[in-house]
Amino acid sequence: MRIGFFQFAPRFGKPEQNLNALVAALTGAEADLIVAPELALSGYLFTCREEVEGMAEPIPGPATDRLERVAADADCHLVVGMAERSGKELFNSAALIGPKGLIGVYRKVHLFHEEKLHFSPGDGGFSVFDVSGVKVGLLVCFDHIFPEAARTLALQGVQIICHPSNLVLPEYGQLTTRVRSIENRVFWILANRYGTERRGGKTLTYTGCSQITADNGEVLVRADERGDSLTVVEVDPERAKNKQVTERNDLFADRRVALYRWE
Ligand code: ACM
């Protein structure tokens, strides 16, 4: 299976321009699954809720319709982070779009910092989606810091985690996603953005370095800190079904659930 990421620097407040950039990059992509960053259509550094309202879209909606055509033409699955409007609520979401149309939506469960001022947290939990017979799960950025999120997906049989991100803390996400791969024996596509946004007296610099990690924690590819990068690698997702780390250790069978504290 050919899996990849598209790292780029969305322009704040230019959804049309950002969608055009995505469409241009992904049209004809030679891959089975490609992940784009968090809030890839709007940019990230909102100063008020009204700004999100102005750029959020329903899913399905005009943006996902256009991405559906790209996915159909390339015979590829796409995961794209975007601001979602649902009634009066706004979510920081990721849409999974396949060659036959929209497959599912994940609403970010763990909101980061000022996202809490603008978005509602997702309450839909962590779902499993089918991508050409492979079990795939979605997380968005800060979800990476909560090991329970990836574990919940892995315990449901997920083989590949798709992770649209706008990471700002250097190395945290690149490190934790590698650890999550090791502790769950799953493949992990971290699609991060790069660049700097300056708005309302605030500045955020995004860390780039998108990466794909294998089930054994090996970093298969890593993008630079800056610069657009459409990067695809061939992997065997079947490997993620095997949780054996030694002859006597199976990562899931060895869990001592009765001894763990969940609340
Ligand atoms: C983040 O969750 N965008 C850091």
Side-chain angles (χ1 to χ4, degrees):
M1 184 177 195
R2 297 159 305 167
I3 64 174
F5 56 75
F6 176 53
Q7 169 173 302
F8 78 123
R11 294 273 311 277
F12 187 87
K14 304 276 182 207
E16 186 70 28
Q17 192 175 321
N18 294 326
L19 184 58
N20 286 343
L22 273 176
V23 169
L26 302 179
T27 293
E30 294 188 356
D32 301 299
L33 173 64
I34 295 184
V35 185
E38 176 184 15
L39 296 172
L41 305 181
S42 55
Y44 181 82
L45 191 45
F46 296 104
T47 59
C48 60
R49 194 183 150 85
E50 289 66 39
E51 281 183 346
V52 189
E53 269 162 0
M55 282 187 268
E57 278 202 26
I59 302 176
T64 56
D65 287 352
R66 206 162 153 215
L67 291 165
E68 277 182 24
R69 291 194 288 278
V70 175
D73 288 347
D75 194 20
C76 178
H77 291 76
L78 307 175
V79 175
V80 177
M82 57 185 284
E84 179 195 0
R85 188 178 343 106
S86 173
K88 286 201 163 77
E89 289 203 280
L90 302 168
F91 297 98
N92 182 343
S93 297
L96 170 62
I97 297 158
K100 296 198 179 99
L102 181 71
I103 295 175
V105 182
Y106 165 72
R107 293 171 171 168
K108 187 175 186 176
V109 166
H110 303 100
L111 298 176
F112 181 69
H113 198 32
E114 292 191 356
E115 290 171 34
K116 292 188 178 188
L117 306 178
H118 312 316
F119 293 101
S120 302
D123 286 331
F126 305 99
S127 302
V128 182
F129 301 102
D130 181 285
V131 170
S132 310
V134 174
K135 288 188 176 171
V136 166
L138 313 183
L139 297 178
V140 174
C141 204
F142 197 50
D143 286 326
H144 73 90
I145 213 95
F146 300 87
E148 296 90 342
R151 181 67 109 202
T152 302
L153 288 172
L155 287 173
Q156 296 177 83
V158 155
Q159 296 155 273
I160 302 175
I161 293 182
C162 301
H163 185 210
S165 293
N166 281 184
L167 293 163
V168 290
L169 304 172
E171 276 304 320
Y172 273 38
Q174 288 78 6
L175 179 61
T176 56
T177 59
R178 200 168 165 213
V179 173
R180 304 282 169 265
S181 283
I182 294 169
E183 64 197 8
N184 293 295
R185 291 242 150 191
V186 293
F187 291 86
W188 196 295
I189 309 170
L190 164 59
N192 198 17
R193 65 161 292 174
Y194 70 94
T196 296
E197 286 182 320
R198 286 187 190 82
R199 310 202 63 255
K202 298 187 179 121
T203 301
L204 282 179
T205 296
Y206 306 96
T207 60
C209 299
S210 298
Q211 70 183 24
I212 299 179
T213 314
D215 56 320
N216 60 0
E218 183 189 351
V219 177
L220 299 175
V221 281
R222 192 178 217 212
D224 292 335
E225 241 174 82
R226 300 183 57 79
D228 288 9
S229 174
L230 176 62
T231 301
V232 176
V233 284
E234 178 92 34
V235 299
D236 176 9
E238 279 296 301
R239 277 176 32 172
K241 291 183 177 169
N242 180 5
K243 305 300 178 188
Q244 205 78 30
V245 282
T246 74
E247 269 172 40
R248 294 184 178 79
N249 294 102
D250 178 289
L251 274 185
F252 287 0
D254 283 1
R255 294 170 70 239
R256 304 285 308 279
V257 177
L259 302 181
Y260 304 152
R261 208 183 133 180
W262 292 97
E263 313 214 17

